[in-house]
Amino acid sequence: MRKVVAALQAFRGIGKVTAMTIVAEVGQLSRFPTARQSMGYIGTLPSEHPSGETIRWGGITKTGNAHIRRIIIEVVWLQRHKQMLSQAVKLRQERLDPEIQEIALKAMHPLHDRYFRLTARGKSKQQVVTAVGRELLGFIWAIGILVERKNAA
């Protein structure tokens, strides 16, 4: 799990304590076949109200792990700032596999852009942060799967 913790620190806003919390609460990310299932475990998926042919979507379910949800929301608040990496994040990324670095850098721009796109549409800050957090969980799942598969091989 040490390698997964180190890999998660490639993201902006995720330090050692945050990465350790995610790994300790979730365990192996590979136990979820899809990113959507990991999002459901954490409780960031919207609730649905089906009636016949129609499905109405509501707020997030909140049935999952509240501790991880709170941690992820705290990380997302950093996505509203300028898209730059601190010196500490650059140093952490240098020690990692290039594939992990690529995923982390690929995540930075869409998360930042989505934050401002949803804000411009008039969404409340809480809704925006929750939506961006759900997207961040997908990137976290991708890195976790990549690292766990490389360790297993």
Side-chain angles (χ1 to χ4, degrees):
M1 298 315 266
R2 183 180 306 153
K3 290 186 179 184
V4 176
V5 170
L8 291 180
Q9 291 179 61
F11 288 110
R12 189 173 69 158
I14 296 183
K16 187 178 280 188
V17 173
T18 304
M20 286 292 289
T21 303
I22 293 169
V23 169
E25 293 286 333
V26 174
Q28 288 190 332
L29 288 162
S30 59
R31 70 185 174 137
F32 302 110
T34 65
R36 185 168 174 81
Q37 288 181 343
S38 71
M39 294 171 198
Y41 171 77
I42 295 168
T44 59
L45 291 178
S47 60
E48 56 181 58
H49 307 284
S51 175
E53 302 267 331
T54 20
I55 297 177
R56 293 196 174 94
W57 299 96
I60 62 171
T61 58
K62 295 185 184 176
T63 57
N65 193 315
H67 190 73
I68 299 176
R69 203 168 41 248
R70 184 186 63 78
I71 294 287
I72 293 298
I73 296 302
E74 291 298 322
V75 170
V76 171
W77 281 111
L78 292 172
Q79 305 308 318
R80 63 190 166 152
H81 297 299
K82 197 172 183 179
Q83 299 177 24
M84 292 175 54
L85 292 177
S86 68
Q87 199 64 27
V89 175
K90 287 180 186 176
L91 286 172
R92 289 192 305 246
Q93 284 186 353
E94 284 177 3
R95 299 179 213 141
L96 298 173
D97 187 17
E99 288 180 278
I100 295 168
Q101 291 177 17
E102 183 182 334
I103 292 171
L105 289 175
K106 199 184 291 186
M108 187 170 61
H109 298 293
L111 294 174
H112 178 77
D113 293 344
R114 182 151 189 205
Y115 182 91
F116 282 102
R117 199 171 48 249
L118 290 173
T119 304
R121 285 179 40 197
K123 298 287 185 185
S124 72
K125 288 185 179 184
Q126 290 82 5
Q127 286 177 318
V128 171
V129 168
T130 302
V132 175
R134 185 171 37 245
E135 193 166 333
L136 175 63
L137 284 170
F139 287 112
I140 288 172
W141 177 82
I143 282 185
I145 291 294
L146 180 69
V147 172
E148 288 174 8
R149 285 188 181 150
K150 283 188 177 190
N151 285 339

